[in-house]
Amino acid sequence: MRVSSILFAVVVLILVISFLSIWFYPSVQDFMASNVMWNGINNFSSEFSADDIDSLDALPVLPGQAVLVAIPYLEYSQEELSRVKRFVDGGGTLLLMDDYGYGNSVLAYLGVDIRFTNKPLLDPLFSYKNQWMPRITDFALKVKESGIEVIMLNHATSLTNVVASETIAWSSSASFLDINENGSWEEGEPKGPLAVATELRLGQGRLALVSDPSIMINTMVGRDDNYKFIRYLTGDEGEQKEVMVDGSHLTKAPLDVSRTRLIGVRGALSSPYALLGIIAVIFVAVSRYTLKKGETIG
Amino acid sequence: MMLHGNLRKRIAGAVTCVAILFMVSPSVFAAEPHEDPEIARLEFGGVSLFRYYSASLDFVLRKEPAEVEARLEKIPFANIPQSLEGATDNFAASSIGISHLVVEIAEDLDRLRVLGGQFRLGEAVEQAAPTFARLSQAYRELNHLEQATEITGEELKVSSAPAGSDLRRSYDEVLERIDRIREMLALHEELLESTGLNLEELLESTGLNLEELLKSTGLNLEIRPIVAFVGDNIRFEGVLTSEKRPLAGREVDILINGSRYVTSKTDAYGHYQGRLQVPYWYMPELDLQALYYPRGKDVGLYLASLSPVRKLKVLFYEAELGVTVEDKAYPGLETTITGRFDYGQSPSLNERKAEIYFDDVFITEVVAQEAFVQEIVIDPDADVGEHVITVSAAARERYAPVVASAILNVARATPILDLGIPRVALIPGSIGLGGKLYSEVGPLSEALIKMGLGKSQVELLSSEDGAFDTRIGVGMGLGVIGSQDLVIQVLPQEPWHFPLVITRTVVLVNVVNCGGILAILIFFGIYLPGRLGGRLGVYPRRRVIPVEVIARPQIVPTYSDSTIVPSLTEGEGQGRGEPRNRIFYRYRLVVRLVQRITRALLAPHQTLREFAYEGSRVLGPAAKYFIELTEMVERLLYSQYSPTEGDVGKSKQLSGDIEKEPKSEVTMQSLLPRQLRGEGTVAQFEPNELSVVGGARAFELGGRVSTTSTWRQLSTWLWVLLILAVAYYACILLFVLPLLLASLAYCLPLVIVDDSNERGIKAMTKEELKGEGV
């Protein structure tokens, strides 16, 4: 066998193994729908039948029954912000969940005064295991009526410039905002109760803000009343809406990027023209090969 | 070694680059976005717990029990070690208990202060007993509180903490609050005692009895009549005495149900009397008492006295009010409330005012006789669900007030959409969408209708009668045939209508893409097989059994598309030419013959030899003669060699062999061989002489024996693949045909009814019936 043939076979083998690995190896990146580990949102996606969208182009034209879950860990472009605004103005629900990301740029574009403080919200008393996982027990009446008693956050922040009537959840009076991030309260640091969730009408749609996206991850979604709370946020008068998770603004590992591209390529190749082209290429390639080799193969 | 060295360098370089990339890449996060709760480290600081305790006890001191309760009920959600759970529970329970007790004690003290001020010592003594009990209970709770705090302090090793530490300070703050509560209770105790209400101790200390200390008083009360209608006047009278002597000029209060109603003054005989109107309190019985307590100069001289209770039977008319509402009401629309007063045996009122409330919000007033019908408008912002309609008729003289309620179900009407939508649409183009919007309430006028189909969107308003008509454009795409969701969102302007979102599926046929694919299919299915088949030679590899092809050349000279083929024999003028030219002439004839047989043309870039070798693949045994003739021609072309008559003869021989060789394999059609033999200088092909190709094909395959099975050849499978692809797309297109036909037919209107609410109600009813065991 010639060296070129061996090299060719090795390259093909490597490619095949790579593709299979990319396709089947589970993601370990935060908030990835394909991540079944503790920090993924596979459970959330399954429970809420959420669509993982990799581009805001996939937003529906008539978003009245849609909820876009946005975790802005990557900055939004002006065009993307414009799409998000159109989505909300058109009647969609934007559930913006952020702690230390770019949520404020989205809020600024939407013309909302509320901001994420982007500083850790700590609660040394009402928490799970340690102060970084505060438990929220103060809710607006309508939230309480939904059967929500306590939710658990994980490395959360808080909201500022909120309107009391729009706020739906507050941290306890034992909590504080760790401005200097030294893990303990010091003079001048805001003390609880601090707003952690709010919802307001915006255009024809609704904007819901939660100061911690981690309530969605696999290990958190089932804790306390987190599941009910998410259902409340993604529903409308008890009716569950169509949930879409914006995966395009999450930090991704190379594996996730490759998988995304592979999925994109698969999608592109499944179009009729592409299929036809593939058949043609195979046909022509093998025909040429046959012509070169002689008359027949095999 | 060199290669290894380079490889190592490259790997090292790559690793360095990756490391630098990681280092310089900006991190979004100032903090970790989350941690795994399962493996999170357990941390507990008692400082926050003690501070929370202190803050809660501050609310005890501020006498705000509701706040204390709200704070301490959350303790189960606190991050507290298991060993402290009992103590924290006790602390919470005791704090909540004491917060209520403190308030009750304070209220008792206020009451006692009033009684003491009026020298109503008997009542005060009665009142003091439960107050003392509450104080004792509060002390007990406080002790539990302190105990729970101390246990917590021990668990958290507060004693070993430095004096100025946060833990020690926060612990001390809790104890300080407890001490302050204790001081507050002690103060209450002192107040209780300082009011002189602990009479037993007082009298014991002075050695006097109550009568010796203050003069007792006596008071009686009589009323007439003892049965009266509300609003009627009754007489009351009585005598106030002290030590059997009348007390003149003293004020006596008449209490009705414990409250002062009127005041009368005693005359010189201690007698008091008067008339009072029976209050319009529509209760069957009233308690009347007369009260004297020392005022002015009597203070410190007389004790207060209270007459025995006199019962007054009160009469009034009662009515029953029945209220009925409609089964369903809509926000923003009127609904009818009907009511009827039933007075039973009592005389009826000619006119009676009644107020109508919607969830305790006053709506309107109606003046009714026995029955009334009133229209009210439901608040456009009213929530969907059950609301309470209350009709309240105020009391009027002898008629007691009457209130009745009914549950009104406020709902929004679900729009019904009669939509005319084609089941199949063509791309590019537009889809006509027309229909009508209505509901059980009426048409949806000027409702905002948004329709989306893929990336296309259209917005419009419905007309007054709910009708609408529009077209939505359908843009190009990569798809061929498929269904696409048409999303229709209806936003009614009337508050009594629900918004509606429905999705319908439309089959879209992209005629441009279909045409394109058809063209490609034609290319694949027709052109390529012919083209590649010729090049590949993908014809049956088995030996062809010679078949006599009977050709009947019929000379039809009138055919205009005849082809002139020169004979292989020297034509006129050619036979007498130079040997070189004669050989070339003969070669050209042979080349034409070969071209017809192989269906391959001599390309401009192709040499004669290449053409000969290419042609030889299909010429079979005749190939060697053709190659030999080609070599001869090449020699004449590319050298100084002058051919002889012998060469001419040889070329004739070779061309003859080319003609003869196939004869042993297959019977050629007549004309070409005839020409090869030189029969006639000019001949004409007739239309059916195209079968020459068939004969030539037989000629070309004659000497070739397949050594490979057909199914083992890749080309066969390629053909199978191609056929399958063609069949696939053909099926798609065939499937489209009926749909296309259907699209041409009139599109039936499609009625879309969102009955989810009704289904929900049915399901609920079913559940209820199940629950009731029906």
Side-chain angles (χ1 to χ4, degrees), chain B residues 694-750:
Chain B
R697 189 164 291 165
F699 165 81
E700 75 189 46
L701 297 171
R704 300 172 63 181
V705 179
S706 172
T707 56
T708 311
S709 165
T710 305
W711 295 106
R712 291 181 62 190
Q713 294 165 21
L714 181 62
S715 54
T716 306
W717 290 106
L718 278 173
W719 279 109
V720 170
L721 180 66
L722 183 66
I723 289 163
L724 284 175
V726 170
Y728 170 71
Y729 287 105
C731 282
I732 291 174
L733 291 175
L734 282 173
F735 174 69
V736 175
L737 274 176
L739 294 172
L740 283 171
L741 289 172
S743 71
L744 297 173
Y746 177 72
C747 303
L748 293 172
L750 199 64

Coordinates of all heavy atoms in Angstrom, one line a residue, chain B residues 694-750:
Chain B
G694 N -26.1 0.8 -33.5 CA -26.3 -0.5 -32.7 C -25.4 -1.6 -33.3 O -24.8 -2.3 -32.5
G695 N -25.3 -1.6 -34.6 CA -24.4 -2.6 -35.1 C -23.0 -2.3 -34.7 O -22.2 -3.2 -34.4
A696 N -22.6 -1.1 -34.8 CA -21.2 -0.7 -34.4 C -21.0 -1.0 -32.9 O -19.9 -1.5 -32.6 CB -21.0 0.8 -34.6
R697 N -22.1 -0.8 -32.1 CA -21.9 -1.2 -30.7 C -21.7 -2.7 -30.5 O -20.8 -3.1 -29.8 CB -23.2 -0.7 -29.9 CG -23.0 -0.8 -28.5 CD -24.1 -0.1 -27.8 NE -23.9 1.4 -28.0 CZ -24.8 2.3 -27.7 NH1 -26.0 1.9 -27.3 NH2 -24.6 3.5 -27.9
A698 N -22.4 -3.4 -31.3 CA -22.2 -4.8 -31.3 C -20.8 -5.1 -31.8 O -20.1 -6.0 -31.2 CB -23.2 -5.5 -32.2
F699 N -20.4 -4.4 -32.8 CA -19.1 -4.6 -33.3 C -18.0 -4.3 -32.3 O -17.1 -5.1 -32.1 CB -18.9 -3.6 -34.5 CG -17.5 -3.4 -35.0 CD1 -16.9 -4.4 -35.8 CD2 -16.8 -2.3 -34.6 CE1 -15.6 -4.1 -36.3 CE2 -15.5 -2.1 -35.1 CZ -14.9 -3.0 -35.9
E700 N -18.3 -3.2 -31.5 CA -17.2 -2.7 -30.6 C -17.1 -3.7 -29.4 O -16.1 -3.8 -28.8 CB -17.5 -1.3 -30.1 CG -18.7 -1.2 -29.1 CD -19.1 0.2 -28.8 OE1 -19.2 1.0 -29.7 OE2 -19.3 0.5 -27.6
L701 N -18.2 -4.3 -29.0 CA -18.2 -5.2 -27.9 C -17.8 -6.6 -28.2 O -17.7 -7.4 -27.3 CB -19.6 -5.2 -27.2 CG -20.0 -3.9 -26.7 CD1 -21.5 -4.0 -26.2 CD2 -19.1 -3.4 -25.5
G702 N -17.7 -6.8 -29.5 CA -17.6 -8.2 -29.9 C -16.5 -9.0 -29.3 O -16.7 -10.1 -28.9
G703 N -15.4 -8.4 -29.2 CA -14.2 -9.2 -28.7 C -13.9 -9.0 -27.2 O -12.8 -9.3 -26.8
R704 N -14.9 -8.5 -26.4 CA -14.5 -8.2 -25.0 C -15.3 -9.1 -24.1 O -16.5 -9.2 -24.1 CB -14.8 -6.8 -24.7 CG -14.0 -5.9 -25.6 CD -14.4 -4.5 -25.5 NE -14.1 -4.0 -24.2 CZ -14.4 -2.8 -23.8 NH1 -14.9 -1.9 -24.7 NH2 -14.1 -2.4 -22.6
V705 N -14.6 -9.7 -23.2 CA -15.2 -10.7 -22.3 C -15.1 -10.1 -20.9 O -14.0 -9.7 -20.5 CB -14.5 -12.0 -22.4 CG1 -15.1 -13.0 -21.4 CG2 -14.6 -12.6 -23.8
S706 N -16.2 -10.0 -20.3 CA -16.2 -9.5 -19.0 C -15.5 -10.4 -18.0 O -15.8 -11.6 -18.0 CB -17.7 -9.2 -18.5 OG -17.7 -8.9 -17.2
T707 N -14.7 -9.9 -17.2 CA -14.1 -10.7 -16.2 C -14.6 -10.4 -14.8 O -14.2 -11.0 -13.8 CB -12.6 -10.4 -16.1 OG1 -12.4 -9.0 -16.0 CG2 -11.9 -10.9 -17.4
T708 N -15.6 -9.4 -14.7 CA -16.1 -9.0 -13.4 C -17.6 -9.1 -13.4 O -18.2 -8.7 -14.4 CB -15.7 -7.5 -13.1 OG1 -14.3 -7.4 -13.4 CG2 -16.0 -7.2 -11.7
S709 N -18.2 -9.5 -12.3 CA -19.6 -9.6 -12.2 C -20.2 -8.1 -12.2 O -19.6 -7.2 -11.6 CB -20.0 -10.3 -10.9 OG -21.4 -10.0 -10.6
T710 N -21.4 -8.0 -12.7 CA -21.9 -6.7 -12.8 C -22.1 -6.0 -11.4 O -21.9 -4.8 -11.2 CB -23.3 -6.8 -13.5 OG1 -23.2 -7.4 -14.7 CG2 -23.9 -5.4 -13.7
W711 N -22.5 -6.8 -10.5 CA -22.8 -6.3 -9.1 C -21.6 -6.0 -8.3 O -21.7 -5.5 -7.2 CB -23.8 -7.2 -8.4 CG -25.1 -7.3 -9.0 CD1 -25.6 -8.4 -9.8 CD2 -26.1 -6.3 -9.1 NE1 -26.8 -8.1 -10.3 CE2 -27.1 -6.8 -9.9 CE3 -26.2 -5.0 -8.6 CZ2 -28.3 -6.1 -10.1 CZ3 -27.3 -4.3 -8.9 CH2 -28.3 -4.8 -9.6
R712 N -20.5 -6.5 -8.9 CA -19.2 -6.2 -8.1 C -18.6 -4.9 -8.7 O -17.5 -4.6 -8.3 CB -18.3 -7.4 -8.2 CG -18.8 -8.6 -7.4 CD -17.8 -9.7 -7.5 NE -16.5 -9.3 -6.9 CZ -15.4 -10.1 -7.0 NH1 -15.4 -11.2 -7.7 NH2 -14.3 -9.7 -6.5
Q713 N -19.2 -4.3 -9.6 CA -18.6 -3.1 -10.2 C -19.2 -1.9 -9.5 O -20.4 -1.7 -9.3 CB -19.0 -3.0 -11.7 CG -18.3 -4.2 -12.5 CD -18.9 -4.3 -13.8 OE1 -19.5 -3.4 -14.3 NE2 -18.7 -5.5 -14.4
L714 N -18.3 -1.0 -9.2 CA -18.7 0.2 -8.5 C -19.7 1.1 -9.3 O -20.6 1.7 -8.8 CB -17.4 1.1 -8.1 CG -17.7 2.4 -7.3 CD1 -18.4 2.1 -6.0 CD2 -16.5 3.2 -7.2
S715 N -19.4 1.1 -10.6 CA -20.2 1.9 -11.5 C -21.7 1.5 -11.4 O -22.6 2.3 -11.4 CB -19.7 1.8 -12.9 OG -19.6 0.5 -13.3
T716 N -21.9 0.2 -11.2 CA -23.3 -0.3 -11.1 C -23.9 0.3 -9.9 O -25.1 0.7 -10.0 CB -23.3 -1.9 -11.0 OG1 -22.5 -2.4 -12.1 CG2 -24.7 -2.4 -11.0
W717 N -23.2 0.3 -8.8 CA -23.7 0.8 -7.6 C -23.9 2.3 -7.7 O -24.9 2.9 -7.1 CB -22.8 0.5 -6.4 CG -22.9 -1.0 -6.1 CD1 -22.0 -1.9 -6.3 CD2 -24.0 -1.7 -5.5 NE1 -22.4 -3.2 -5.9 CE2 -23.7 -3.0 -5.4 CE3 -25.3 -1.3 -5.1 CZ2 -24.5 -4.0 -4.9 CZ3 -26.1 -2.2 -4.6 CH2 -25.8 -3.6 -4.5
L718 N -23.1 3.0 -8.4 CA -23.3 4.4 -8.6 C -24.6 4.6 -9.4 O -25.3 5.6 -9.1 CB -22.1 5.0 -9.4 CG -20.8 5.3 -8.6 CD1 -19.7 5.7 -9.5 CD2 -21.1 6.4 -7.6
W719 N -24.8 3.8 -10.3 CA -26.0 3.9 -11.1 C -27.2 3.7 -10.2 O -28.2 4.4 -10.2 CB -26.1 2.9 -12.2 CG -25.3 3.5 -13.4 CD1 -24.1 3.0 -13.9 CD2 -25.7 4.6 -14.2 NE1 -23.7 3.8 -14.9 CE2 -24.6 4.8 -15.2 CE3 -26.7 5.5 -14.2 CZ2 -24.7 5.8 -16.1 CZ3 -26.8 6.5 -15.2 CH2 -25.7 6.6 -16.1
V720 N -27.1 2.7 -9.3 CA -28.2 2.4 -8.4 C -28.5 3.6 -7.5 O -29.6 4.0 -7.3 CB -27.9 1.2 -7.5 CG1 -28.9 1.0 -6.4 CG2 -27.9 -0.1 -8.4
L721 N -27.4 4.2 -7.0 CA -27.5 5.4 -6.2 C -28.1 6.5 -6.9 O -29.0 7.2 -6.4 CB -26.1 5.8 -5.7 CG -26.0 7.0 -4.8 CD1 -26.7 6.7 -3.5 CD2 -24.5 7.4 -4.6
L722 N -27.7 6.7 -8.1 CA -28.3 7.7 -8.9 C -29.8 7.5 -9.2 O -30.6 8.4 -9.0 CB -27.5 7.8 -10.3 CG -28.0 9.0 -11.2 CD1 -27.6 10.3 -10.5 CD2 -27.4 8.9 -12.5
I723 N -30.1 6.3 -9.5 CA -31.5 6.0 -9.7 C -32.4 6.2 -8.5 O -33.5 6.7 -8.5 CB -31.6 4.5 -10.3 CG1 -31.1 4.4 -11.7 CG2 -33.1 4.0 -10.2 CD1 -30.8 3.0 -12.1
L724 N -31.8 5.8 -7.3 CA -32.5 6.0 -6.1 C -32.7 7.5 -5.8 O -33.8 7.9 -5.4 CB -31.7 5.4 -4.9 CG -31.8 3.9 -4.8 CD1 -30.9 3.3 -3.7 CD2 -33.2 3.4 -4.6
A725 N -31.7 8.3 -6.1 CA -31.8 9.7 -5.9 C -32.9 10.3 -6.8 O -33.7 11.1 -6.3 CB -30.5 10.4 -6.1
V726 N -32.8 9.8 -8.0 CA -33.8 10.3 -9.0 C -35.2 9.9 -8.5 O -36.2 10.7 -8.5 CB -33.5 9.8 -10.4 CG1 -34.7 10.1 -11.3 CG2 -32.2 10.4 -10.9
A727 N -35.3 8.6 -8.1 CA -36.6 8.1 -7.7 C -37.1 8.9 -6.5 O -38.3 9.2 -6.4 CB -36.5 6.7 -7.3
Y728 N -36.2 9.3 -5.6 CA -36.6 10.0 -4.4 C -37.2 11.3 -4.7 O -38.3 11.7 -4.3 CB -35.3 10.2 -3.5 CG -35.5 11.1 -2.3 CD1 -36.3 10.8 -1.2 CD2 -34.9 12.4 -2.3 CE1 -36.5 11.7 -0.2 CE2 -35.0 13.3 -1.3 CZ -35.8 12.9 -0.2 OH -36.0 13.8 0.8
Y729 N -36.5 12.1 -5.5 CA -37.0 13.4 -5.9 C -38.2 13.3 -6.8 O -39.1 14.1 -6.7 CB -35.9 14.2 -6.6 CG -34.9 14.7 -5.6 CD1 -33.7 14.1 -5.5 CD2 -35.2 15.7 -4.7 CE1 -32.7 14.5 -4.6 CE2 -34.3 16.1 -3.7 CZ -33.1 15.5 -3.7 OH -32.2 15.9 -2.7
A730 N -38.3 12.2 -7.6 CA -39.5 12.0 -8.4 C -40.7 11.8 -7.5 O -41.8 12.3 -7.8 CB -39.2 10.9 -9.4
C731 N -40.5 11.0 -6.5 CA -41.6 10.7 -5.5 C -42.1 12.0 -4.9 O -43.3 12.3 -4.8 CB -41.1 9.8 -4.4 SG -41.1 8.1 -5.0
I732 N -41.1 12.8 -4.5 CA -41.5 14.1 -3.9 C -42.3 14.9 -4.9 O -43.4 15.5 -4.6 CB -40.2 14.9 -3.5 CG1 -39.5 14.2 -2.4 CG2 -40.6 16.3 -3.1 CD1 -38.2 14.8 -2.0
L733 N -41.8 15.0 -6.1 CA -42.6 15.8 -7.1 C -43.9 15.2 -7.4 O -44.9 15.9 -7.6 CB -41.7 15.9 -8.4 CG -40.5 16.7 -8.2 CD1 -39.6 16.7 -9.5 CD2 -40.9 18.2 -7.9
L734 N -44.0 13.8 -7.4 CA -45.3 13.2 -7.7 C -46.2 13.5 -6.6 O -47.4 13.6 -6.7 CB -45.1 11.7 -7.8 CG -44.5 11.2 -9.2 CD1 -44.2 9.8 -9.2 CD2 -45.5 11.6 -10.3
F735 N -45.7 13.5 -5.4 CA -46.5 13.8 -4.2 C -47.1 15.2 -4.3 O -48.2 15.5 -3.8 CB -45.7 13.6 -2.9 CG -46.4 14.0 -1.7 CD1 -47.5 13.3 -1.2 CD2 -46.0 15.2 -1.0 CE1 -48.2 13.7 -0.1 CE2 -46.7 15.5 0.2 CZ -47.8 14.8 0.6
V736 N -46.3 16.0 -4.9 CA -46.7 17.4 -5.0 C -47.9 17.6 -5.9 O -48.7 18.5 -5.7 CB -45.5 18.3 -5.5 CG1 -46.0 19.7 -5.7 CG2 -44.4 18.3 -4.5
L737 N -47.9 16.8 -6.9 CA -48.9 16.9 -8.0 C -50.3 17.0 -7.4 O -51.1 18.0 -7.7 CB -48.8 15.8 -9.0 CG -47.8 16.1 -10.1 CD1 -47.6 14.9 -11.1 CD2 -48.2 17.4 -10.9
P738 N -50.7 16.0 -6.6 CA -52.1 16.1 -6.1 C -52.3 17.4 -5.3 O -53.3 18.0 -5.3 CB -52.2 14.9 -5.2 CG -51.1 14.0 -5.5 CD -50.0 14.8 -6.2
L739 N -51.2 17.8 -4.5 CA -51.3 19.0 -3.7 C -51.5 20.2 -4.6 O -52.2 21.1 -4.3 CB -50.1 19.1 -2.8 CG -50.0 18.0 -1.8 CD1 -48.6 18.2 -1.1 CD2 -51.1 18.2 -0.8
L740 N -50.7 20.2 -5.7 CA -50.9 21.3 -6.6 C -52.3 21.4 -7.2 O -52.9 22.5 -7.3 CB -49.9 21.2 -7.8 CG -48.4 21.5 -7.4 CD1 -47.5 21.1 -8.6 CD2 -48.3 23.0 -7.1
L741 N -52.8 20.2 -7.5 CA -54.2 20.2 -8.0 C -55.1 20.7 -6.9 O -56.1 21.4 -7.2 CB -54.5 18.7 -8.4 CG -53.8 18.2 -9.6 CD1 -54.1 16.8 -9.9 CD2 -54.3 19.0 -10.9
A742 N -54.9 20.2 -5.7 CA -55.7 20.7 -4.6 C -55.7 22.2 -4.4 O -56.7 22.8 -4.1 CB -55.3 20.0 -3.3
S743 N -54.5 22.7 -4.6 CA -54.3 24.2 -4.4 C -55.1 24.9 -5.5 O -55.5 26.1 -5.2 CB -52.8 24.6 -4.5 OG -52.4 24.4 -5.9
L744 N -55.3 24.3 -6.6 CA -56.1 25.0 -7.6 C -57.6 25.0 -7.3 O -58.3 25.9 -7.7 CB -55.8 24.3 -9.0 CG -54.4 24.4 -9.5 CD1 -54.2 23.6 -10.7 CD2 -54.0 25.9 -9.7
A745 N -57.9 24.0 -6.5 CA -59.3 23.9 -6.1 C -59.7 25.0 -5.1 O -58.8 25.6 -4.5 CB -59.6 22.5 -5.5
Y746 N -60.9 25.2 -5.0 CA -61.3 26.3 -4.1 C -60.9 25.9 -2.6 O -61.1 24.8 -2.2 CB -62.8 26.5 -4.1 CG -63.3 27.5 -3.2 CD1 -63.1 28.8 -3.4 CD2 -64.0 27.1 -2.0 CE1 -63.5 29.8 -2.5 CE2 -64.5 28.0 -1.2 CZ -64.3 29.4 -1.4 OH -64.7 30.3 -0.5
C747 N -60.4 26.9 -1.9 CA -59.9 26.6 -0.6 C -61.1 26.7 0.4 O -61.8 27.7 0.5 CB -58.9 27.6 -0.1 SG -57.5 27.6 -1.2
L748 N -61.4 25.6 1.1 CA -62.5 25.5 2.0 C -62.2 26.4 3.2 O -61.0 26.4 3.7 CB -62.7 24.1 2.4 CG -63.3 23.2 1.3 CD1 -63.3 21.8 1.8 CD2 -64.6 23.6 0.9
P749 N -63.1 27.1 3.7 CA -62.8 27.9 4.9 C -62.5 27.0 6.1 O -63.1 25.9 6.2 CB -64.1 28.7 5.2 CG -65.1 28.0 4.5 CD -64.5 27.3 3.3
L750 N -61.6 27.4 6.9 CA -61.2 26.6 8.0 C -61.6 27.3 9.3 O -61.4 28.5 9.5 CB -59.7 26.6 8.0 CG -59.0 25.5 8.8 CD1 -59.3 24.2 8.2 CD2 -57.5 25.7 8.7

